[in-house]
Amino acid sequence: MDEVDFVIPLSKGELRTGNATAQYVVEELTSIRQLLGDTRDFKSAVLSTKGCFAVIDHFDTLYSLLCHFRSNDKIIKEVKPIAWNGLLKAAQKESQTLLNYLGDRNADRQAHRQHLTCLKMTCYLLCQMIEEFEAESVQPTTDTSVTKKQSKSARSKVDASGWDWESERELAITAIGQLVQLNTARLWEPPIVEEEFVNMLACTCYKLLENVEVSRNKTTRVAIFQLLGILVKKYNHSLGASLKIIQLLQHFEHLSSPLAQAVEIFVKEFGMKNIVSDILRYSMKTH
């Protein structure tokens, strides 16, 4: 791929209309009929020597899936888990690839750009797919085999293919956390992680917490708080987190106890004591 800048969009449509000549643009969507073969090619590439960089070569395919995600076409239903498994595997491989690369002080500028593009594309696609799968999981079931006595959690796991979104969601949050634990700031010039990247990851975390079932799931909840803790400590997200916590408390009653746990984790595990005073100060301003 030519050297272009992947700009994290505010909406999916922005990737179809780049504002700069060196900005990455998806020129043409892959048709639904072609998606199955292209997605299988992507997964194969991830498992080959291409590894995580397969995301760059196949970004348009995965983006096209996002655009077709809510289609009822049976091909889309078949493609979704294949694309997800490939993307998750790519993210997991990227952690090791990036760890090795960041330890190399002699890396050139072109390699920097490639790794940065791969990181941004992978995280963007993961966040988008997390939100799409999450939206699917909270929709009322149309499966007549599910009785009214079954809980929402049980319904979400009824899948003939064995798909378990609760487990997959936790794996994705953990994979993103492993990536941002690394010294990724070195990939940017100057070495400061762009705000849009941080906000993208944080917004996905906050969106997940709005779901009562997610906030009740201890392992997923803690994984989300761990990821946010890294963003607060390493990526200058303290102010953003403080304001968002206040906002969430005002709109979602079920988050009072979970968010108290989040603040406790920020303070005890990440040493971010100032966030308590920040929350109190901004809370007083809103009243």
Side-chain angles (χ1 to χ4, degrees):
M1 186 182 76
D2 295 334
E3 188 172 293
V4 294
D5 183 23
F6 178 76
V7 178
I8 294 171
L10 294 176
S11 64
K12 285 198 293 287
E14 289 185 8
L15 281 174
R16 302 295 307 280
T17 55
N19 295 321
T21 55
Q23 183 176 326
Y24 188 88
V25 174
V26 178
E27 296 182 355
E28 185 177 356
L29 293 182
T30 305
S31 67
I32 291 178
R33 184 180 298 274
Q34 191 177 340
L35 269 178
L36 184 57
D38 287 0
T39 305
R40 285 172 173 163
D41 289 344
F42 161 65
K43 187 175 180 181
S44 297
V46 172
L47 299 176
S48 73
T49 54
K50 271 285 184 181
C52 60
F53 297 112
V55 172
I56 299 177
D57 295 338
H58 295 266
F59 180 86
D60 290 11
T61 296
L62 299 172
Y63 174 84
S64 297
L65 171 59
L66 288 173
C67 294
H68 297 305
F69 206 90
R70 301 185 186 187
S71 168
N72 290 323
D73 193 295
K74 63 180 181 180
I75 293 178
I76 295 299
K77 294 180 180 179
E78 187 176 354
V79 164
K80 287 177 185 178
I82 298 172
W84 173 261
N85 291 335
L87 184 59
L88 189 58
K89 188 66 176 177
Q92 292 166 342
K93 283 192 169 190
E94 188 171 2
S95 294
Q96 188 58 51
T97 301
L98 202 51
L99 176 64
N100 295 336
Y101 174 77
L102 292 172
D104 182 3
R105 296 289 177 179
N106 299 316
D108 59 27
R109 179 176 177 275
Q110 185 175 359
H112 257 51
R113 288 292 295 269
Q114 184 182 33
H115 279 277
L116 178 58
T117 298
C118 186
L119 174 68
K120 290 166 68 175
M121 283 184 168
T122 301
C123 288
Y124 170 75
L125 291 167
L126 271 177
C127 287
Q128 289 290 307
M129 285 200 185
I130 287 171
E131 293 184 21
E132 289 289 356
F133 278 120
E134 188 66 17
E136 278 190 352
S137 74
V138 298
Q139 289 179 352
T141 182
T142 57
D143 189 345
T144 56
S145 67
V146 179
T147 67
K148 293 182 179 180
K149 293 182 180 181
Q150 287 178 292
S151 67
K152 290 182 179 179
S153 178
R155 287 202 304 266
S156 67
K157 294 184 179 181
V158 176
D159 191 317
S161 66
W163 173 262
D164 179 2
W165 173 236
E166 286 189 8
S167 298
E168 296 296 329
R169 178 176 55 207
E170 188 176 334
L171 287 172
I173 295 298
T174 301
I176 295 173
Q178 290 172 342
L179 283 170
V180 296
Q181 280 180 8
L182 304 174
N183 186 21
T184 57
R186 283 191 57 204
L187 299 176
W188 274 267
E189 296 178 6
I192 300 172
V193 178
E194 62 190 53
E195 187 176 356
E196 291 81 3
F197 179 77
V198 178
N199 288 341
M200 174 184 69
L201 300 179
C203 285
T204 296
C205 291
Y206 298 132
K207 189 70 176 176
L208 287 174
L209 290 171
E210 293 177 10
N211 182 352
V212 176
E213 296 301 321
V214 173
S215 65
R216 289 175 179 172
N217 186 314
K218 182 179 179 180
T219 54
T220 302
R221 185 177 72 233
V222 170
I224 291 172
F225 294 158
Q226 291 285 345
L227 174 51
L228 286 172
I230 296 170
L231 298 181
V232 168
K233 184 171 184 177
K234 294 185 62 176
Y235 293 80
N236 198 30
H237 186 60
S238 181
L239 173 60
S242 300
L243 293 172
K244 191 62 181 182
I245 286 172
I246 295 169
Q247 184 182 34
L248 289 171
L249 287 172
Q250 291 173 337
H251 293 91
F252 301 96
E253 293 182 1
H254 70 275
L255 286 178
S256 56
S257 178
L259 289 178
Q261 182 188 16
V263 174
E264 183 180 9
I265 288 175
F266 298 162
V267 172
K268 291 185 176 180
E269 298 187 25
F270 294 92
M272 301 302 295
K273 297 180 181 179
N274 290 341
I275 198 168
V276 177
S277 57
D278 287 343
I279 292 172
L280 291 174
R281 182 169 65 255
Y282 293 120
S283 179
M284 291 175 65
K285 287 183 179 180
T286 60
H287 290 83

